[in-house]
Amino acid sequence: VILMTDRVLQGSPLRQKATKILFIITVVGTLLPFVLFQNYFTTRWFRETCQLLSLSGAVMNLVLWTGMLTQRNRDPQLMKISAGLGIGVTGVAIAYGVRGFLPNDWWWTTDIFKSSVLTLMLVVWCWAFWKSAPASEKSQPPLAGNTQAL
């Protein structure tokens, strides 16, 4: 996300501010789990850390979107990639946040939600990277010009 934001804001006066913000989010997001949460490297600690890292990723993606929206020429593929990332990290953060309010018997609902959101993220990324055939290839039948295959 940092590299994508840097590339989007190349030549922009917002570039240095965005770099500082993303650096602070990275440092705080990495160190905060060790300060806030006890009993390192337990299941609960990993769950809480994942929620915090996902929230950090969502905020970083928001900075990327802000940078993209300030530009006249927007890369549609980068916008799709960023949209998929935003769906994924925000969904995971929400799933872990809601999980804390549910009894253990209902945690499966957040697992299904989280899996669905991550699947949606992958579908958006497939859409972003899917190459469509040029118009000349679309009009031809699949075996046109290849009579030896028959």
Side-chain angles (χ1 to χ4, degrees):
V1 174
I2 293 172
L3 292 175
M4 289 187 288
T5 306
D6 187 59
R7 188 170 294 162
V8 165
L9 292 176
Q10 212 156 21
S12 170
L14 297 174
R15 184 178 182 191
Q16 274 196 310
K17 285 182 183 180
T19 302
K20 286 179 186 178
I21 290 170
L22 293 174
F23 178 75
I24 290 169
I25 292 170
T26 302
V27 170
V28 170
T30 304
L31 296 178
L32 210 53
F34 294 100
V35 175
L36 291 180
F37 311 130
Q38 308 303 319
N39 300 326
Y40 305 137
F41 307 111
T42 61
T43 303
R44 181 179 177 144
W45 184 83
F46 280 118
R47 190 174 56 244
E48 292 168 340
T49 300
C50 185
Q51 179 185 5
L52 188 62
L53 291 175
S54 295
L55 179 63
S56 299
V59 173
M60 292 172 83
N61 194 48
L62 185 62
V63 173
L64 173 59
W65 267 99
T66 304
M68 285 191 295
L69 293 176
T70 62
Q71 303 301 311
R72 284 199 186 280
N73 298 328
R74 297 181 185 122
D75 181 4
Q77 184 180 31
L78 183 59
M79 292 183 84
K80 292 173 192 171
I81 294 168
S82 182
L85 180 65
I87 290 167
V89 294
T90 304
V92 169
I94 290 170
Y96 281 123
V98 169
R99 189 177 198 160
F101 296 106
L102 295 176
N104 292 355
D105 296 349
W106 285 91
W107 280 10
W108 62 271
T109 58
T110 59
D111 291 337
I112 289 174
F113 175 75
K114 183 175 59 170
S115 297
S116 301
V117 165
L118 292 174
T119 302
L120 180 60
M121 175 187 75
L122 292 175
V123 167
V124 171
W125 281 355
C126 287
W127 175 47
F129 290 109
W130 193 269
K131 288 210 178 245
S132 62
S136 62
E137 290 180 20
K138 288 181 182 178
S139 62
Q140 296 178 357
L143 296 176
N146 190 3
T147 57
Q148 293 178 2
L150 296 174

